[in-house]
Amino acid sequence: MAQPTILVAEKLGAGGVSMLEEGSKVEIALGMTPAELLERVSQVDALIIRSGTQVTREVFEAAKGRLKVVGRAGVGIDNVDLAAASEHGCLVVNAPTANTVAAAEHAISLITSLARHVAAADASMKAGRWERNKLVGVSVAGKTLSVFGFGKVGAEVAKRARGLGMTVLTHDPYVTEERARAQGAKLVTFDEALAAGDFLSLHMPLLPSTRHVFNDAAFAKCKKGARLVNVARGAVVDDEAL
């Protein structure tokens, strides 16, 4: 039986490539244009991507039935046309725990940076100014963190926020009160989370129902001076409203 051919379209660790090469023919083509991907996809059995490659309906049609697996080296799969994948008998898989801790730590870093104006203070110092009193910021201890999206990353953020002395609320339509409570968070409505949060941390997937869900109406319900960290997809926030 011939070995399957795997096309790696975005950077993958050397260890991962070595594992693939044990039982497959691996072709690495980084930085392909959409046209180049369309040209090559009918020659491979599997495609590995990250977030930069758009696997559209046209890609599945160009594969002519040969492409059987699209592997996302990461969590989000909003850059893959899932309906087209199903229609063409192609399995789409991701790595849901690959960067859970890294994403949670990144969110906490952004929260504390916002609280203490780290970026602004850095820019001020580089400009030759010393604005200590202006950039003192606030303590996160005793503040309320509203976590929107309580999957793996959101739950890890909640765990770390509690360690910093924060009260954690969460809104997620797919999470039970018991699961939230087990992670030390209180499950509330979307509006309640907006109104109570001193800090808002976003971790929901990008879906038709979540696109621009943080809009003028949502921001009008927030506390004055609330701070927002988006570790989800950019399009969940309406930038103009923000």
Side-chain angles (χ1 to χ4, degrees):
M1 182 177 178
Q3 287 186 327
T5 299
I6 301 174
L7 177 60
V8 178
E10 297 187 59
K11 187 175 181 180
L12 200 64
V17 173
S18 295
M19 291 177 65
L20 295 173
E21 289 175 334
E22 291 177 5
S24 308
K25 177 185 176 183
V26 178
E27 299 178 359
I28 299 176
L30 309 183
M32 285 185 292
T33 65
E36 289 170 335
L37 177 59
L38 290 175
E39 184 177 338
R40 296 190 64 163
V41 72
S42 65
Q43 304 166 30
V44 301
D45 303 289
L47 173 66
I48 295 181
I49 61 170
R50 289 188 181 274
S51 60
T53 301
Q54 298 296 315
V55 188
T56 61
R57 176 172 293 276
E58 289 73 22
V59 171
F60 291 109
E61 291 173 350
K64 300 176 181 177
R66 179 168 177 180
L67 185 66
K68 297 303 181 186
V69 180
V70 173
R72 165 71 162 94
V75 180
I77 50 175
D78 48 280
N79 53 324
V80 181
D81 188 327
L82 299 180
S86 296
E87 291 171 19
H88 288 81
C90 183
L91 183 67
V92 179
V93 296
N94 65 349
T97 62
N99 61 352
T100 298
V101 171
E105 290 178 348
H106 184 58
I108 292 295
S109 297
L110 292 173
I111 289 167
T112 54
S113 177
L114 272 179
R116 293 299 183 182
H117 302 301
V118 172
D122 176 67
S124 176
M125 286 289 291
K126 288 177 178 177
R129 299 191 299 272
W130 176 245
E131 300 175 298
R132 176 180 175 180
N133 293 333
K134 178 181 176 181
L135 298 171
V136 170
V138 298
S139 173
V140 298
K143 299 297 189 299
T144 296
L145 173 66
S146 291
V147 178
F148 294 85
F150 208 67
K152 292 180 175 63
V153 176
E156 289 294 329
V157 169
K159 182 191 302 182
R160 286 157 177 76
R162 293 199 323 275
L164 294 172
M166 303 185 81
T167 297
V168 181
L169 306 179
T170 185
H171 172 72
D172 189 319
Y174 305 105
V175 168
T176 64
E177 291 184 7
E178 290 75 19
R179 170 167 159 71
R181 189 162 50 245
Q183 299 295 329
K186 180 181 179 182
L187 188 66
V188 297
T189 67
F190 183 71
D191 286 354
E192 288 171 336
L194 289 172
D198 299 297
F199 293 84
L200 314 179
S201 193
L202 314 187
H203 304 281
M204 73 279 288
L206 178 60
L207 304 169
S209 60
T210 61
R211 181 176 292 274
H212 287 183
V213 68
F214 291 90
N215 50 28
D216 282 320
F219 291 131
K221 297 171 183 175
C222 292
K223 283 184 176 181
K224 183 178 181 180
R227 295 165 169 85
L228 181 145
V229 166
N230 184 10
V231 191
R233 292 291 186 258
V236 302
V237 177
D238 182 338
D239 289 340
E240 291 188 10
L242 182 63

